[in-house]
C-alpha cells in the first residue's frame, strides 16, 4: 500500500472522534468566544483534530481558501450555514459559535429608551450604554406591547405616543439589519406587522391613519427581506400591500417609496421600462420629502443606465444635490430615507457605469469610494463588491476580479443575501479561468 505524498489531502474514513471537554474550557477558546471570533474557535478545533485547512475543507465541502478566510475572521466566519456544517463535523458546542442566538440585536440604550417606564425591563438600567444586546422575539413583542398600552388614556384609547414607540422600534430593527442577516429579523418583522394590524383595526381617527402608515413601513421591510432571500413572489405581494396601506393612510412618502421598491423588483426581473416608469411614478407624488425624491431620482437613473441611456448621469446629479440639501430628521423614529446618504447615490452611479460598459471608469469611481464603503450595510457592500469584480473581469483584469469576487462571496455568506449571489453569477463568462471556476462552484452552493 503506497504512502500518501507529504502534502496530499488525507480524509478520515469515519466520523471525527469527540474532543476532550477540557478543550472547550481552555483560555484560548474563552478568549476567542469573548472576542466574538467563531473562526478562531474553528481553528482551535481543527488543530485539535490534527487537520490541515485543506483537509477540513475537503471534509466539509469547502475550498482551502474558504477555510483560511473563515479562520482569519472574514465575513464568512459569521455565515450560520457554514458554521453549522463545521460545528457538526468538528463537534464544537453550538453556543461557542453563536449558533443558538436568534435574537434581534440592538444597542442597550435603544432598548432602555423603548422600555422607559416598563417595570419588566428595569434590569436594562444596569447594562452599559453602548453595548449591543440581543432581544428575543417574544421579549421584543412583550416590551413593545407594554410600551404601547402604557400610553393609553383612562378610556383605553391609544395616543400618538404609542405610534411613536412603534416607529422607534422600526428604526432599531432597520439598524439591526446592518449587523445581521434576515434569519433573526423575518419573524420579528412579521410579528410586529401583525401586532400593528390588530391595533389599527381597533383604532380611530388620526391614530388609525398613523398606524396604517406605520404598518405599511413594516410590510415594505418584510417584502424587502423576502427579496433578499430570493423570494420575489412574496417580495412583490408585501410591497403591494404596503402600497395599498400607504394610499389608505394618504402618506405620500410611503406611496412613493413603494413605487421605488417595485421599480427595484422590476430591475431584478430585467424589465428596464418598468424600472423607469415606476421610478417616475414615485416622483409624480405631491409633497415628497427631499430624501424620498432623491431615492426615486436615483432609481430612475438606474433604469436609464440599464437601458443604455447616458441621460442617467443627470438624474444621479439631481439625486446627489437633493441628498446634500436635505435636512436630517432629529428623531429616534424611523422615517423613510433617514440613513440614505450621498454615498448611496455615488455607489449606484459607479454601478451604472458597469451597465454602460464603461468598465475602466467604473473601476476608477468604485476605487475612489472604497475608503467610505463602511458607510453602507453589508448586503449592499456585497452587491457593489461583486459589480466591481465584474468590471475588473470585463476589463481583462481577472486576478483582481477573483479577489473582489471572493470578498463578495464572504459577504453573501454572512448576510444570506441572494442579491449578492445574483451579481456574482454574472462572472460565469470567465469560468474557464480556474480561480473563477472555483468561485463559481462556491457561489452555486448558496443557491
Amino acid at each position: 500500500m503506497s504512502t500518501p505524498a507529504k502534502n496530499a489531502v488525507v480524509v478520515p474514513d469515519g466520523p471525527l472522534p469527540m474532543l476532550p471537554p477540557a478543550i472547550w474550557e481552555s483560555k484560548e477558546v474563552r478568549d476567542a468566544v469573548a472576542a466574538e471570533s467563531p473562526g478562531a474557535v474553528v481553528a482551535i478545533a481543527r488543530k485539535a483534530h490534527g487537520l490541515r485547512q485543506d483537509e477540513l475543507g475537503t471534509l466539509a465541502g469547502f475550498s482551502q481558501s474558504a477555510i483560511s478566510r473563515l479562520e482569519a475572521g472574514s465575513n464568512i466566519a459569521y455565515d450560520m450555514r457554514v458554521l453549522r456544517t463545521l460545528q457538526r463535523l468538528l463537534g464544537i458546542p453550538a453556543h461557542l459559535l453563536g449558533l443558538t442566538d436568534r435574537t434581534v440585536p440592538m444597542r442597550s440604550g435603544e432598548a432602555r429608551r423603548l422600555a422607559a417606564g416598563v417595570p419588566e425591563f428595569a434590569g436594562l438600567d444596569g447594562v452599559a450604554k453602548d453595548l449591543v444586546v440581543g432581544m428575543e422575539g417574544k421579549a421584543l413583542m412583550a416590551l413593545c406591547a407594554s410600551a404601547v398600552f402604557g400610553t393609553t388614556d383612562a378610556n383605553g384609547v391609544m395616543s400618538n405616543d404609542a405610534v411613536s414607540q412603534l416607529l422607534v422600534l422600526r428604526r432599531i430593527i432597520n439598524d439591526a439589519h446592518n449587523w445581521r442577516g434576515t434569519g433573526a429579523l423575518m419573524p420579528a418583522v412579521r410579528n410586529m406587522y401583525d401586532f400593528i394590524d390588530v391595533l389599527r383595526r381597533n383604532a380611530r381617527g388620526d391614530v388609525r391613519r398613523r398606524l396604517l402608515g406605520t404598518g405599511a413601513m413594516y410590510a415594505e421591510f418584510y417584502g424587502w427581506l423576502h427579496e433578499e432571500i430570493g423570494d420575489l413572489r412574496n417580495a412583490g405581494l408585501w410591497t403591494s400591500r404596503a402600497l395599498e396601506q400607504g394610499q389608505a393612510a394618504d402618506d405620500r412618502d410611503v406611496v412613493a417609496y413603494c413605487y421605488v421598491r417595485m421599480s427595484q423588483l422590476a430591475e431584478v426581473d430585467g424589465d428596464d421600462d418598468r424600472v423607469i416608469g415606476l421610478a417616475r411614478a414615485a416622483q409624480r407624488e405631491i409633497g415628497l420629502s427631499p430624501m424620498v425624491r432623491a431615492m426615486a431620482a436615483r432609481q430612475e437613473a438606474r433604469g436609464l443606465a440599464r437601458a443604455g441611456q447616458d441621460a442617467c448621469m443627470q438624474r444621479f446629479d439631481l439625486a446627489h444635490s437633493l441628498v446634500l440639501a436635505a435636512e436630517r430628521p432629529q428623531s429616534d423614529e424611523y422615517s423613510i430615507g433617514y440613513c440614505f446618504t450621498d454615498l448611496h447615490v455615488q455607489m449606484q452611479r459607479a454601478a451604472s457605469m458597469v451597465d454602460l460598459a464603461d468598465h475602466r471608469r467604473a473601476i476608477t469611481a468604485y476605487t475612489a469610494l472604497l475608503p467610505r464603503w463602511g458607510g453602507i450595510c453589508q448586503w449592499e457592500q456585497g452587491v457593489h463588491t461583486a459589480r466591481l469584480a465584474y468590471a475588473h473581469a470585463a476589463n481583462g483584469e481577472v486576478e483582481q476580479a477573483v479577489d473582489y469576487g471572493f470578498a463578495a462571496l464572504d459577504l453573501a455568506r454572512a448576510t444570506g443575501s441572494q442579491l449578492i449571489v445574483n451579481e456574482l453569477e454574472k462572472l460565469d463568462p470567465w469560468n474557464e479561468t480556474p480561480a473563477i471556476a472555483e468561485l463559481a462552484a462556491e457561489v452555486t452552493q448558496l443557491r
Side-chain angles (χ1 to χ4, degrees):
M1 187 168 139
S2 61
T3 303
K6 182 178 180 181
N7 293 320
V9 176
V10 179
V11 180
D13 295 331
L16 295 175
M18 293 289 291
L19 292 174
I23 288 179
W24 314 125
E25 299 168 4
S26 67
K27 183 179 185 301
E28 191 179 13
V29 169
R30 291 201 308 271
D31 289 347
V33 172
E36 298 183 354
S37 177
V41 176
V42 169
I44 293 167
R46 173 182 63 77
K47 293 172 185 175
H49 279 293
L51 296 172
R52 300 195 308 261
Q53 289 180 340
D54 56 344
E55 292 171 337
L56 176 58
T58 299
L59 281 171
F62 304 123
S63 66
Q64 184 274 331
S65 62
I67 299 297
S68 175
R69 294 197 307 277
L70 182 145
E71 294 185 357
S74 76
N75 283 299
I76 190 178
Y78 303 93
D79 181 348
M80 295 300 168
R81 290 167 295 185
V82 173
L83 290 178
R84 285 192 185 94
T85 299
L86 296 174
Q87 179 261 323
R88 288 192 293 265
L89 181 64
L90 297 171
I92 302 171
H95 70 278
L96 297 180
L97 298 178
L99 293 177
T100 58
D101 184 12
R102 297 286 291 173
T103 60
V104 175
M106 66 179 73
R107 298 203 178 277
S108 57
E110 295 170 334
R112 277 200 299 269
R113 185 168 60 249
L114 194 64
V118 183
E120 293 87 344
F121 295 89
L124 287 170
D125 291 339
V127 181
K129 181 178 179 182
D130 59 350
L131 183 68
V132 175
V133 298
M135 185 70 71
E136 291 286 350
K138 289 182 179 179
L140 189 63
M141 287 294 297
L143 183 153
C144 185
S146 297
V148 166
F149 291 119
T151 59
T152 58
D153 63 20
N155 298 316
V157 177
M158 287 178 55
S159 70
N160 277 312
D161 287 344
V163 183
S164 176
Q165 294 280 25
L166 295 168
L167 288 171
V168 169
L169 181 58
R170 172 68 179 85
R171 179 163 176 168
I172 288 172
I173 292 176
N174 202 79
D175 290 341
H177 185 235
N178 295 339
W179 307 332
R180 187 164 298 177
T182 59
L185 294 179
M186 288 192 77
V189 174
R190 177 58 193 267
N191 288 339
M192 286 307 306
Y193 173 81
D194 291 340
F195 177 66
I196 294 168
D197 202 47
V198 171
L199 292 179
R200 67 99 181 168
R201 290 172 186 267
N202 294 283
R204 296 290 181 269
D206 187 61
V207 172
R208 183 182 182 117
R209 182 191 63 78
R210 290 194 67 203
L211 284 169
L212 266 171
T214 303
M217 294 179 192
Y218 277 87
E220 175 276 315
F221 189 46
Y222 196 51
W224 160 250
L225 294 176
H226 277 95
E227 180 184 351
E228 193 168 34
I229 63 173
D231 184 357
L232 298 183
R233 178 180 177 277
N234 276 308
L237 290 174
W238 279 94
T239 306
S240 295
R241 180 179 296 193
L243 174 63
E244 292 169 1
Q245 289 194 201
Q247 290 170 330
D250 197 26
D251 189 323
R252 309 329 295 172
D253 273 0
V254 169
V255 170
Y257 186 59
C258 286
Y259 282 132
V260 171
R261 287 290 300 117
M262 289 176 170
S263 175
Q264 291 169 344
L265 288 169
E267 185 175 343
V268 176
D269 198 38
D271 192 336
D272 300 339
D273 292 331
R274 289 191 70 236
V275 173
I276 297 168
L278 287 163
R280 287 175 175 170
Q283 294 171 81
R284 285 195 292 270
E285 293 294 324
I286 305 299
L288 295 182
S289 68
M291 206 63 77
V292 174
R293 192 171 295 282
M295 296 170 85
R298 183 193 69 163
Q299 185 58 24
E300 181 189 359
R302 284 289 302 141
L304 291 169
R306 288 172 55 89
Q309 299 184 36
D310 291 331
C312 66
M313 294 303 166
Q314 297 173 358
R315 304 309 289 174
F316 278 123
D317 290 341
L318 172 61
H320 191 243
S321 63
L322 285 168
V323 169
L324 293 180
E327 293 185 9
R328 299 281 168 180
Q330 301 300 309
S331 171
D332 294 326
E333 296 180 9
Y334 175 84
S335 61
I336 296 173
Y338 79 95
C339 56
F340 190 70
T341 68
D342 68 297
L343 177 60
H344 293 91
V345 177
Q346 298 296 63
M347 294 290 276
Q348 288 289 10
R349 189 195 295 267
S352 292
M353 294 171 188
V354 178
D355 292 320
L356 294 170
D358 195 347
H359 300 116
R360 172 46 54 192
R361 191 175 168 208
I363 293 168
T364 300
Y366 268 137
T367 303
L369 295 169
L370 273 174
R372 299 180 62 196
W373 281 35
I376 58 178
C377 58
Q378 284 194 328
W379 72 265
E380 201 164 3
Q381 289 181 40
V383 166
H384 288 292
T385 302
R387 287 174 177 166
L388 178 53
Y390 179 90
H392 276 294
N395 203 50
E397 300 161 354
V398 178
E399 185 175 341
Q400 292 92 325
V402 170
D403 289 342
Y404 284 113
F406 275 107
L409 178 65
D410 286 349
L411 288 162
R413 284 176 167 144
T415 62
S417 176
Q418 285 297 309
L419 301 178
I420 305 173
V421 173
N422 294 343
E423 292 297 327
L424 284 171
E425 288 180 339
K426 295 177 182 177
L427 291 170
D428 284 352
W430 293 276
N431 273 358
E432 291 183 2
T433 303
I436 295 285
E438 179 186 349
L439 171 65
E442 295 196 31
V443 169
T444 301
Q445 295 177 9
L446 298 183
R447 267 293 178 195

